[in-house]
Amino acid sequence: EVQLVESGGGLVQPGRSLRLSCAASGFTFDEYATHWVRQAPGKGLEWVAVISWNSAGIGYADSVKGRFTISRDNAKNSLYLQMNSLRPEDTAFYYCVKDNQRLAQGGYFQHWGQGTLVTVSS
Amino acid sequence: DIQMTQSPSTLSASVGDRVTITCRASQSISSWLAWYQQKPGKAPKLLIYKASSLESGVPSRFSGSGSGTHFTLTISSLQPDDFATYYCQQYNTYSPWTFGQGTKVEIK
């Protein structure tokens, strides 16, 4: 069974940093691209970032470009999101998502974690 | 970026009803469209990919159709477990992934 377990969320002040982690199991992690998708409380879904199976392909939404960094460690079956210069509008549930294929483009979101809540507030 | 527009935003229906949700893309995405179901407090779940392909384990009462810019998700006979919010998503190769704003299916 595919499992994606996010951690690292919490309350953080504007301008500060936070690092999210996602532990993957139940599939061959290094054969799939993975994403971060977020959802502000009571709002819709917003794609945040993608990383290909070998980290060669990376992409970001314009709203986070230059502030967030996605990375992965295939030896540890883990995905990360380093979030810097956080803003109140970054407040959301952040989901770790497994793609259906290995590239950082053209895939759909096959499996989702349960999410971790990030709250940016003073 | 490609904009996705769903209609209606909210839909009231009864158990046993046939329900149709529409999704329109701002430009052609061929058949690169997925549908997700989200229940309160839960993560989204993949229902349909490539516009009309049913994900493994998803009940056959769910079906998708369309291509280009116009797509539909149909639930042939609404069940109690189907009351949820539904999102369409495009995954065209040369564009960032984008979602529709969601359609909430409520009990009538």
Side-chain angles (χ1 to χ4, degrees), chain B residues 18-59:
Chain B
R18 181 181 181 87
V19 166
T20 298
I21 299 168
T22 297
C23 178
R24 293 185 183 272
S26 60
Q27 65 188 72
S28 177
I29 57 170
S30 184
S31 295
W32 305 122
L33 185 102
W35 289 96
Y36 302 88
Q37 176 194 65
Q38 187 178 32
K39 297 180 180 179
K42 300 293 186 182
K45 171 190 170 184
L46 175 67
L47 298 176
I48 302 279
Y49 62 94
K50 207 172 180 184
S52 61
S53 296
L54 195 67
E55 173 69 352
S56 175
V58 174

Side-chain angles (χ1 to χ4, degrees), chain A residues 22-83:
Chain A
C22 171
S25 61
F27 66 102
T28 306
F29 181 69
D30 62 8
E31 291 186 354
Y32 294 92
T34 46
H35 305 254
W36 290 98
V37 175
R38 68 185 181 183
Q39 185 173 36
K43 302 297 184 183
L45 299 166
E46 179 187 18
W47 170 77
V48 172
V50 63
I51 187 166
S52 67
W53 65 285
N54 61 356
S55 302
I58 287 176
Y60 298 97
D62 287 345
S63 58
V64 306
K65 201 172 293 183
R67 300 187 298 123
F68 289 13
T69 302
I70 189 171
S71 62
R72 65 190 295 160
D73 184 338
N74 286 343
K76 295 182 178 179
N77 287 350
S78 293
L79 175 71
Y80 306 100
L81 186 68
Q82 177 67 42
M83 303 185 294

Side-chain angles (χ1 to χ4, degrees), chain A residues 9-14 18 41 86-88 90-92 94 116-122:
Chain A
L11 175 64
V12 61
Q13 293 180 328
L18 204 61
L86 281 161
R87 305 167 179 168
D90 294 319
T91 294
Y94 284 74
T116 186
L117 178 61
V118 173
T119 304
V120 184
S121 174
S122 53

Side-chain angles (χ1 to χ4, degrees), chain B residues 50-103:
Chain B
K50 207 172 180 184
S52 61
S53 296
L54 195 67
E55 173 69 352
S56 175
V58 174
S60 59
R61 62 181 180 273
F62 290 93
S63 64
S65 65
S67 66
T69 63
H70 186 212
F71 302 87
T72 59
L73 173 70
T74 299
I75 309 173
S76 60
S77 178
L78 197 65
Q79 298 302 301
D81 191 48
D82 301 338
F83 291 96
T85 299
Y86 294 85
Y87 293 93
C88 64
Q89 176 215 26
Q90 65 81 21
Y91 54 101
N92 190 56
T93 300
Y94 301 105
S95 178
W97 292 262
T98 48
F99 295 88
Q101 78 278 18
T103 295

